[in-house]
Amino acid sequence: MPSALERWIDEVASVTGPNSVYWCDGSQSENARLLREMMAAGTLLELNQRQYPDCYLHRSDPSDVARTEHLTFICSREQIDSGPTNNWMAPAEAKTKVGALFKGAMRGRTMYVVPYIMGPVGSPFSKVGVEITDSPYVVVNMRIMTRMGTPALRAIEAGAEFVKGLHSLGDLSPDRRFVLHFPEEKMIWSVGSGYGGNALLGKKCFALRIASVQAREENWLAEHMLIVGLESPEGETHYIAAAFPSACGKTNLAMLIPPASQKGWKVWTVGDDIAWLHPGADGRLWAINPEAGFFGVAPGTSTKTNRNAMATVQANSIFTNVGLTEDNCPWWEGIDGPVPERLTDWRGRPWQKGSTEKAAHPNSRFTAPAIQCPSISPKFNGVPISAFIFGGRRARVAPLVLEAFNWNHGVFVGATVASETTAAQSGAVGVVRRDPMAMLPFCGYNMADYFGHWLHMGTVARRPPKIFHVNWFRQNDEGRFIWPGFGENMRVLRWIVERCAGRGGAVESPIGLVPDKGAIDTQGLEIDTQTLDDLRAVSKDDWRAEAAGVGDFFGKFGSRLPSEMRNQRAALLARLG
Ligand code: OXD
Ligand code: MN
């Protein structure tokens, strides 16, 4: 009897009509063949193999360069279960409307069956998925980003449940592009886009939107968080999971290199984008990175901003929509060295120094194996989390760092994070939006219930992490950043670790605990006391306005909002006087 997987493959093949069906085993030889075929077809360019061995460049359709949130839907049976922050389509309507786009969509193409595991092979926290796709670019990226091929198939044969993901490039038209999630069926349909966040279905679609639903059902958390370990000179390591909106320097923080002033400290990279967290027998939350690679934003990455990332992408990596130098090396704005006189831009057109257009697309990416990162942690099977950090990009209002009073207050802090939009989303850049736990585009169910789930997890885990908020992006009146950021953020992380260890000075403010004067080590930094005060400043007027904005935001959720969220807001207003 054919298995459930085989029946699904047959069903999809009969609808989409590919020339052939190919089951991926994840082997090196299979990968080499796919790369050769793409180069022959002109969809992949070989980069300078001396400087970038086994690295390639892909140029996407110029209308397909970022996640398209307005075309992303949660197709729960009841609209209320998707909540006011998600687009919703009824499952039956979605299947009819988008099913029509899959009809004959793979004609003339190969249909690839891509079995994969999110998380390490054999880990009890890992989950299995199968992506059907007609894009070989997706296959070679999935091989970097997940544990792809035979081990996943074996797990399914042994009875593992799997998330079904169906992807077709379709005709790449934004008018016929949809990214659909069926949370009750644990199924994903994506058509009309080859962009990573829309097409590598293991990442945002499974590991966040579908997994967030699974996590709620099974008492764990699936979060848009990097995971790092901070090892002190004495050899004590604390792990931190941190949520920031897209393109806020998550990858840089995950791979931070302590500056010379932080002698003896070491940072271990566990993950740069997604954390799956389970309560352990010890009452703590234990995190794994479900991914095996980094899909990072290229522009701004250099040996100065992120030496580890530069080392990671030196081999076996795929670059998407970056520029190209005359000697066939990838190039982007902010990379090391002088700007070349001439380049080929991300669309393949000649580019000259001084051009008003960018050579690399602002959301151009690298896909690179995590194992190549010099700071990669060997602890793939789980690390205990001491602290959660939420961060936003705020020019004013939020201080450099604050600690929540307790778990429920921390959930409120996470739920009310605001940030400014970036190039990772299509649409206007620089608009302030509320982005709870940096999960706004990634929560697969009603966010009011998600806040409830977070509150609940504080009772499931007996020793939950402490919760903090950071803002690296505070500016002065002239619009200049007042905190140096990058490696110097280590100083703030050290205060956080100190607090987790029961040390570190803090004073109460109406919005949480802020570092005592002098509690953050600023030795060797050129920063005056006024600026330090500004970084710790909490303006009651600003926060009253903020609380009003929070009230508007909470209002969207109506009676579904947990009353504790309203209580927290009332308590904040009371503390503000
Ligand atoms: C990402 C994103 O690609 O958050 O990680 O957009
Ligand atoms: Mn992300």
Side-chain angles (χ1 to χ4, degrees), residues 10 59 104 206 302 313 369 374 469 499 542:
D10 287 348
R59 296 192 183 114
F206 178 178
S302 68
V313 304
H469 183 279
R499 295 293 299 163
D542 281 354

Side-chain angles (χ1 to χ4, degrees), residues 67 203-204 208 224 244 246 250 272-273 442:
R67 285 184 290 103
K203 192 176 180 63
K204 304 300 189 183
L208 290 175
H224 189 204
F244 294 83
S246 308
K250 263 172 87 183
D272 80 326
D273 196 38
F442 306 120

Side-chain angles (χ1 to χ4, degrees), residues 415-464:
T416 56
V417 166
S419 55
E420 288 149 25
T421 51
T422 72
Q425 304 101 21
S426 49
V429 170
V431 178
V432 169
R433 73 170 186 179
R434 251 164 236 289
D435 192 351
M437 283 82 170
M439 279 288 277
L440 189 71
F442 306 120
C443 185
Y445 60 102
N446 192 320
M447 278 207 117
D449 299 341
Y450 170 77
F451 302 150
H453 178 53
W454 262 83
L455 293 168
H456 172 63
M457 287 304 293
T459 62
V460 174
R462 277 176 290 108
R463 292 162 63 204

